[in-house]
Each structure stands twice: as structure tokens, then as C-alpha cells.
Amino acid sequence: MTRRPWLLATSLAALTVALPLQAGEIADYAPITAERLEAPEDGNWLLTRRTYDGHGHSPLTEISTDNVSGLKVAWSLPTGPYAELSDFAALPARPAHQSPALVNDGVMFVTTPDQQIIAVDAATGEEHWRFRHELPSDIIPVHPTNRGVALWEDKLFMATLDAKLIAVSAATGEKLWEATMEEWQNGYYSTLAPLVVDGIVMAGVSGGEFGIRGFVQGFDANSGESLWKTYTIPAPGEPGSETWPGDTWKTGGGPIWITGNYDVKNGLAMWGVGNAAPWIGDMRPGDNLYTTSTIGVDPKTGEIKTHFQYHWNDSWDWDEVVPPTLMTLDGQDLAVRFARNGWIYKMDRAGGELKFIEGKPYVYQNVFTGLDENGRPSYDPERVAGTGKRADFCPSAWGGRDWPADAYNPNTGMLYISVNENHCGSAEGAPVEYEPGVLFLGSGLEMAPTEAAADHIGALQAWDIRTLEKKWQVNFKMPNWGPVLSTEGGLVFVGGTGDAMFRAFDAASGEVLWEHQMDGGIVAPPTSFEVDGKQYVAVTTGWGVDGDRFQGFIDAGMGTETKIPQGGTIWVFAL
């Protein structure tokens, strides 16, 4: 039997011991309706980015630039049990907390890397219940994390590391149904928070490095019945199939591992699609749709109604899985995306079709020689790796930004984003044969900091979307892996740096107005909510996975050793 690189021989028994459910049924749970998801109450945070358009912006104003310096810890709660383990030698990466704290009328829900859902009183931190999905004992995935739940009516939905979709009762934590999206032994797994639209639960899969055929799938929220399954790699005869030669479509990659946004006006779920497989483009000549693209999917049917590809025939592992942020600015319906490839894309979405308006780099990038009128890039051939051909390129495979979400203030037209710059990569292709569940890369990807990294690597940027002008940038010596929260109080909250600080910035100037030393690094999205007229800000510590790996490359290149505490605690702050 072939040893599967992602399935280490060591058992996960220490991480899969059953957790007893905490007794504590939630009385008078407020059901989630389509109307509430489309227009959530100011004090609630019902979706991963609060609103379907992905703004990550709170309209609450109690905490402001004038008083944020008085922010104090209201309560904290260790997620356990994995955070208590001292030996992570069996894992390919430390587990990471990447779940936002969703809040529905004073009830908070957070997921953990070991597949827990924790229900908590949002004002006090008192636990209501815990649910735990048991993983197979021999599975240790490449990305041990979970990015949260979706809410609908009286249910919660969680995607799992063994490619399941699970529904539980919001009031009790009791499992209601379980559906299998794909067989995990073939390299499929899921880390994203599902997206629910009108009773249809949508989820996608990770596994682009294993030669999967990616997809997003829709399920009936009540029964768990599969309603449709839309592949990101078209089969022969389907639209886009001409961009895949021979049988390469069968193992083409195209994972969907970040939650999509929903364009309410046009009725389309906007999903980002990741890398093609293998990594090197000359092994699969063509544009390779719909990899490194945004696809607009009809939630009722799964039909792809529109798409935009950020770069064709990817050879740099620039996953473009983050969906565009949707906005209406000066009467124009826009989709704006800061791509992993280092360019900003401003698109028109009127009528449900993505059309390129303009683009520009937001970090240094030396692969593209320009974009044409449709946003299609041309390449410097010396920056494109091939089989037996080495190429150097900037930014590295980690991109100008990775998966951490940006935030947009709809009242000012300002967008805030965590970026990493001053790092470049190289690759050289080598022949590879597909085997289910085995890495299907065709290359090793190298990464190293540049000389400019001595000044900074991570940064927080603020952009005026009207003009695509950068208004300010705050630099960090270390990388920045922090999802961003914007508030109507004129603040921007972000963690993401290896010093384990959680900071509040003045949204107008970038000045640091408040910071708090945490028990671990932060790669989870902060959220803000209100209970009984009081505003809170929540974030969960839990450093690991890609942030850890990226820091390892930086340390190797700079001759440093950075020890970042892991954490594993839900923190809630208030005045």
C-alpha cells in the first residue's frame, strides 16, 4: 500500500477522544430567516463577514476612536481540548483557529480545528453546549482548521476535515443529519464555513494539491439531500472544457475552500476557485477554467452564470479562493478583489455578469507585463516555470494576500486589507503521476524574503475604492495574517502578527489607538456585536497552519527563529 503523504501513520486518538456534550438547551432561540440574513440587525453577526456582500463591517458606534483606549476584557474562554496538548509532532502543521464568532441575539457560535462547535452566552461567556464531530482515527489533513458555521432557521451547519456536511440543532447541539461530499481518502477535505441562501446550504472542498476535481455543492437544509453539484473543472462537452487537454480535467484541482459571498440583487453566489493541478502549467496547456477564478453560481440550480479568471494557466500556486467584496458605490454595482497574484481588480457586476473595469498592483509583482481591456494578463516568459525550466517570481506562492478577509466601510468607500510583501519564490517542474490521495504537485515551490524584508513583510493597507488610491499603509517587521474588522465607530481591528497583539487602528489615518497582548497569535476574523445595548468585539486566538508555515520560510531566509504562542481562547472585549 502506498503511503499517503497527507495521512501520517500516527493516530489522531489524542485529538478525537469524544467530548461530552454540555447540558444547556438555549431557550427562545431566534430563528434565522432569509430576511434577517439579507438585512441583519445592527447588533448581530449572522454570517462569516456579517453581510452577504462580504463587507466585514459593523454599524455599531459605541466603541469609537474617542474611547477605544478604554477597551477591556469582558470575558474569555479556552476552546480546548487540543490547545492543552504540548506535542504537535504528529501533525504537518499546528492547528489554527480561523472561525469568526457568529452572534444571534446574544448567542455566540464558534468552531475549532478539532471539529467542535461551541455555543456560548455572548455577554457572559457561559457555555450552553458543545458538539464534536469525530474524525477517522487515521486522518491528519494538511490544513487542520475550521472556518465556522452557517445559520439557518433553528439549525447550524459545519463542513468537516473528512469532507462531511453536518447539521445540528442550534438550541441543543444535537446532530440532525450528515452528508458526505466526497471520500476523504482521495484527498478531499473541507475547512470553509458553509453559505446558506433560501434554505440551500452550499459548501466546497479543499484538496487542490492532491489532484481532486473541485466543486461546490448545494444541499437541502432540512433533509441534507444533495440538490446539485457543480464542478469547477468542466468535463468534455461542458463550457470551458476546451481549456483542458486530454484527461487533465479529471485531476485538474480547482478547490473551493473559502466561503463565498452572495449577490442578492442578481441572485448569484460568488465563489473563489483555487489552483490547478499539477502546479506547473505546461503539464496542462490551456487557460484551465475555472481555476484561479471567481464563479457566479445560481444557488437554486448550481449553474455557473458568470466567471472572471484572474490569471490563466497558473504556474505559481496563486489560489484565488477569496470571493470579491460586493458593493454599490455612486450608483454602480461593483465587485472588488485584491487577488493573491498581487493585483487589484475592480469589476462591474450589473445584471449578474462580471466585467473588468480596471486593475493595478497593490504589492510588487514581476510576472505580469500588463492587463488587457478584459483584465487578462500577459506574462514575462522568464517568470513562468516549466517542466525542467526554473523560474523566479514575485510575490511567492503565498501571494500579496492569502485567505484572510478584507473589510469594507460602505459609508466611506474605504477598503482595509492585510498584505504580505517583500517575499519572492521559484519553481521548476518535474513529471508526476496521479495517485488518489497522494500529493500531485509536479514541482516544489521555494520562497524567500527579499532584502526589503529587513524593513517589513506584513502590512495593513487602506484603499479608496472610488479612485483605487492607497490612502495609508502600516508596516510590520513580521508577516501579517490578520482578517480585518471595520466598524462605524471609525475603527479597524486586526491581529495576524507574530507578536500576538490585537490592535485597533484609526480607519482614517492608520494610527494605532489600542492594543492588547493576547495568549496566542490571531488568524481568526474579529467580529462585533451588541447585547442589551452594549457593544462587544470578539476574536479567537489560535496560531497555526499557513501562518506558521510562512513564518518558517521567513525564518529560514533571514536566519531567525520566531516562536509564536499558539493560544486557543475566545476573547471578548467591551468598554
Side-chain angles (χ1 to χ4, degrees), residues 273-522:
V273 185
N275 62 289
W279 274 340
I280 302 301
D282 66 6
M283 299 179 184
R284 38 174 170 77
D287 281 6
N288 304 144
L289 292 173
Y290 293 94
T291 62
T292 62
S293 301
T294 292
I295 55 174
V297 176
D298 185 334
K300 298 182 180 66
T301 66
E303 181 183 358
I304 297 175
K305 296 284 192 177
T306 188
H307 77 276
F308 183 88
Q309 188 172 48
Y310 300 95
H311 52 278
W312 46 276
N313 193 240
D314 176 62
S315 291
W316 309 275
D317 191 33
W318 286 331
D319 277 27
E320 302 297 358
V321 291
V322 178
T325 303
L326 310 177
M327 60 194 71
T328 299
L329 191 58
D330 300 332
Q332 187 176 24
D333 293 333
L334 300 174
V336 175
R337 189 160 184 285
F338 285 65
R340 188 156 159 176
N341 65 34
W343 281 64
I344 311 167
Y345 295 78
K346 188 174 180 178
M347 296 171 282
D348 192 319
R349 60 183 174 92
E353 185 177 356
L354 292 172
K355 295 180 180 179
F356 178 72
I357 298 173
E358 62 178 313
K360 65 187 294 186
Y362 64 94
V363 296
Y364 175 68
Q365 206 253 45
N366 64 6
V367 175
F368 295 2
T369 57
L371 304 180
D372 69 13
E373 67 275 10
N374 297 312
R376 180 182 175 89
S378 53
Y379 302 150
D380 178 347
E382 296 302 313
R383 304 297 181 184
V384 183
T387 303
K389 173 197 170 189
R390 179 185 173 91
D392 301 322
F393 51 89
C394 305
S396 76
W398 302 95
R401 63 90 60 88
D402 206 281
W403 70 269
D406 50 70
Y408 172 72
N409 185 326
N411 297 307
T412 64
M414 294 292 294
L415 185 145
Y416 307 92
I417 183 168
S418 292
V419 307
N420 288 302
E421 52 188 350
N422 300 327
H423 59 94
C424 296
S426 61
E428 180 178 340
V432 61
E433 293 187 9
Y434 172 75
E435 183 178 344
V438 176
L439 289 170
F440 186 57
L441 305 179
S443 170
L445 284 168
E446 300 175 14
M447 179 275 215
T450 67
E451 289 185 5
D455 177 76
H456 75 279
I457 300 169
L460 179 66
Q461 295 180 345
W463 288 82
D464 185 330
I465 298 304
R466 285 183 173 86
T467 61
L468 284 193
E469 177 185 2
K470 184 168 65 174
K471 290 298 187 180
W472 53 259
Q473 175 167 323
V474 177
N475 294 332
F476 305 101
K477 287 282 189 182
M478 59 206 70
N480 179 12
W481 282 80
V484 186
L485 164 67
S486 166
T487 79
E488 200 58 28
L491 297 167
V492 174
F493 288 89
V494 68
T497 50
D499 55 6
M501 299 297 289
F502 186 41
R503 297 181 174 94
F505 298 82
D506 186 316
S509 67
E511 179 186 358
V512 177
L513 301 179
W514 171 86
E515 60 184 11
H516 186 84
Q517 181 69 60
M518 308 294 277
D519 66 326
I522 297 170

Side-chain angles (χ1 to χ4, degrees), residues 25-78:
E25 182 171 351
I26 300 168
D28 301 321
Y29 179 78
I32 303 296
T33 63
E35 293 75 19
R36 294 186 68 205
L37 291 180
E38 289 184 16
E41 304 85 4
D42 287 356
N44 283 324
W45 197 285
L46 304 180
L47 292 153
T48 57
R49 301 305 294 149
R50 189 178 176 273
T51 48
Y52 272 139
D53 46 27
H55 289 181
H57 177 78
S58 170
L60 300 175
T61 59
E62 181 192 359
I63 303 170
S64 69
T65 54
D66 293 332
N67 59 24
V68 69
S69 60
L71 212 56
K72 305 292 184 185
V73 175
W75 58 265
S76 63
L77 177 70

Side-chain angles (χ1 to χ4, degrees), residues 62-246:
E62 181 192 359
I63 303 170
S64 69
T65 54
D66 293 332
N67 59 24
V68 69
S69 60
L71 212 56
K72 305 292 184 185
V73 175
W75 58 265
S76 63
L77 177 70
T79 61
Y82 96 89
E84 299 169 5
L85 301 176
S86 59
D87 184 8
F88 293 93
L91 297 177
R94 288 196 293 179
H97 280 80
Q98 297 178 351
S99 168
L102 301 193
V103 177
N104 176 26
D105 283 5
V107 181
M108 177 184 289
F109 301 103
V110 176
T111 65
T112 68
D114 56 345
Q115 315 297 273
Q116 293 184 77
I117 305 172
I118 307 175
V120 183
D121 183 306
T124 67
E126 180 182 356
E127 288 188 39
H128 293 298
W129 52 257
R130 292 191 182 213
F131 168 82
R132 176 72 172 280
H133 172 65
E134 295 293 330
L135 292 172
S137 62
D138 56 347
I139 180 174
I140 302 181
V142 173
H143 296 91
T145 190
N146 187 279
R147 296 188 176 92
V149 294
L151 313 180
W152 178 253
E153 294 181 340
D154 58 353
K155 302 176 184 65
L156 311 177
F157 306 92
M158 178 174 70
T160 71
L161 289 171
D162 53 350
K164 308 283 188 186
L165 182 68
I166 293 171
V168 306
S169 165
T172 66
E174 175 189 5
K175 184 161 75 171
L176 302 175
W177 55 257
E178 176 180 309
T180 298
M181 293 189 283
E182 255 294 352
E183 297 301 321
W184 63 266
Q185 295 91 337
N186 292 328
Y188 291 85
Y189 59 107
S190 193
T191 60
L192 52 63
L195 175 67
V196 183
V197 174
D198 291 332
I200 298 173
V201 188
M202 293 171 278
V205 288
S206 300
E209 281 68 49
F210 298 97
I212 66 165
R213 185 182 176 210
F215 61 84
V216 60
Q217 190 167 5
F219 297 84
D220 181 272
N222 290 321
S223 66
E225 175 189 2
S226 177
L227 302 175
W228 49 262
K229 192 173 193 175
T230 298
Y231 287 96
T232 59
I233 311 295
E238 296 176 346
S241 61
E242 70 281 0
T243 67
W244 291 92

